[in-house]
Amino acid sequence: MEINLSGKSALVGGSSKGIGRAIAERLSASGANVTLMASNTSRLEEVIGQLDTTKGQKHQYLTVDFNNFAAFEEQMKSYFLKNTVDVLVNNTQGPAAGGALEKSLDDYQTAFDLLFKCAVATTQLALPHMQKEQWGRIINVASISVREPLNYLALSNSLRAALVTWAKSLSLDVAKDNITINNTLTGYFDTERIAQLNAQKAEKMGVKKEDVRAAMEAHVPMQRIGRPEEYANLVCFLASSQASYITGTNIPIDGGLLKSF
């Protein structure tokens, strides 16, 4: 299947590394003009140099702080005064790990701003153009933990669940405008985030981080951790015209890890 996003503009959050970077690279390879968005300028400059321009694509980047919602919102408002977005990928870094008993109300508020408010604010700014054009794609990068919570990721469990239920509600309102909204439920992928979580777990358990990774791989039915480019293929499909009748869904991409269906 050939996916052609020529003429479409995409905004991809968290795209300086890992899954977000792979998504940006895949969208640009399909012809989209991509705006990268992350907090590390040097990494953004590196990534933008790797994006495909063979179809005349023009790319740009925004250095943002997802952890400062007031500043982020103002930056998004300024961006949308000059730009329109056809494909929006809401993706940020994850909040700090830890169990529910370890987290304060302030921790939950911080995670709410990061995981929920950033996505909602950006979506609300992107929607008018999509509604005018009667075409749009919104993909929220979420987690399998919204179905089967991970006890060491209480903040992520809670606020990502809020995001996907909001997305379902919104999908019902904008389906008539040919705008689709879907959530990808992330399993274990070979990213810096997983490496950091494994290192924390190894230190807490007093074992080698290599052993933690091996146990994680053994837990996945496919016996391996996913590659970011595999994730990007799913997102690119959801961004395409071929996915025009798919909306309001939560799609696991986890090598069969989830036990529920």
Side-chain angles (χ1 to χ4, degrees), residues 5 8-13 23 27 37 80 84-91 115-132 134-142 163-164 166-185 231 234-241 243-251:
L5 294 175
K8 303 297 185 186
S9 294
L11 175 61
V12 184
I23 291 169
L27 293 176
M37 184 164 60
F80 279 98
T84 57
V85 169
D86 306 294
V87 177
L88 173 61
V89 181
N90 286 312
N91 177 45
L115 295 179
F116 189 86
K117 287 175 66 176
C118 285
V120 172
T122 309
T123 300
Q124 289 176 339
L125 290 166
L127 277 174
H129 167 73
M130 294 180 180
Q131 290 173 312
K132 179 182 177 181
Q134 291 290 286
W135 199 97
R137 300 288 184 266
I138 300 165
I139 300 107
N140 299 309
V141 174
L163 179 66
V164 302
W166 163 81
K168 178 63 175 180
S169 302
L170 181 60
S171 72
L172 302 175
D173 295 329
V174 299
K176 66 183 185 301
D177 299 316
N178 197 32
I179 299 169
T180 68
I181 305 178
N182 295 288
N183 308 302
T184 51
L185 306 187
Y231 202 109
L234 170 60
V235 173
C236 191
F237 169 69
L238 291 174
S240 71
S241 294
S244 57
Y245 205 57
I246 303 172
T247 193
T249 65
N250 296 321
I251 303 176

Side-chain angles (χ1 to χ4, degrees), residues 20-228:
R21 174 175 181 163
I23 291 169
E25 290 175 344
R26 183 67 178 85
L27 293 176
S28 73
S30 293
N33 305 302
V34 176
T35 299
L36 303 168
M37 184 164 60
S39 61
N40 189 312
T41 301
S42 61
R43 284 194 174 189
L44 287 169
E45 291 174 345
E46 176 191 345
V47 176
I48 204 167
Q50 301 299 315
L51 298 184
D52 192 303
T53 57
T54 57
K55 301 178 181 66
Q57 305 96 310
K58 296 186 182 299
H59 309 303
Q60 58 183 324
Y61 70 81
L62 295 172
T63 303
V64 302
D65 183 0
F66 293 111
N67 289 302
N68 183 343
F69 177 72
F72 174 81
E73 184 179 33
E74 287 306 309
Q75 197 167 1
M76 286 297 94
K77 287 178 180 178
S78 296
Y79 171 79
F80 279 98
L81 286 176
K82 300 178 181 179
N83 299 272
T84 57
V85 169
D86 306 294
V87 177
L88 173 61
V89 181
N90 286 312
N91 177 45
T92 70
Q93 74 269 30
L101 294 176
E102 302 170 45
K103 300 302 177 183
S104 67
L105 285 177
D106 287 343
D107 292 329
Y108 284 99
Q109 182 61 60
T110 299
F112 178 70
D113 289 354
L114 171 66
L115 295 179
F116 189 86
K117 287 175 66 176
C118 285
V120 172
T122 309
T123 300
Q124 289 176 339
L125 290 166
L127 277 174
H129 167 73
M130 294 180 180
Q131 290 173 312
K132 179 182 177 181
E133 294 298 313
Q134 291 290 286
W135 199 97
R137 300 288 184 266
I138 300 165
I139 300 107
N140 299 309
V141 174
S143 168
I144 58 171
S145 67
V146 304
R147 284 193 184 172
E148 295 177 7
L150 300 168
N151 69 321
Y152 60 92
L153 293 178
L155 296 178
S156 181
N157 298 341
S158 306
L159 279 308
R160 292 191 195 279
L163 179 66
V164 302
T165 54
W166 163 81
K168 178 63 175 180
S169 302
L170 181 60
S171 72
L172 302 175
D173 295 329
V174 299
K176 66 183 185 301
D177 299 316
N178 197 32
I179 299 169
T180 68
I181 305 178
N182 295 288
N183 308 302
T184 51
L185 306 187
T186 314
Y188 300 144
F189 277 80
D190 201 1
T191 63
E192 288 185 18
R193 168 74 167 171
I194 281 290
Q196 291 167 356
L197 291 173
N198 285 350
Q200 292 174 18
K201 185 181 287 188
E203 183 177 359
K204 190 172 184 179
M205 296 173 62
V207 300
K208 295 179 180 179
K209 59 185 179 182
E210 292 81 5
D211 294 336
V212 174
R213 180 181 173 113
M216 177 179 283
E217 292 173 334
H219 192 55
V220 178
M222 284 191 169
Q223 299 289 289
R224 66 177 179 88
I225 292 175
R227 299 185 297 274

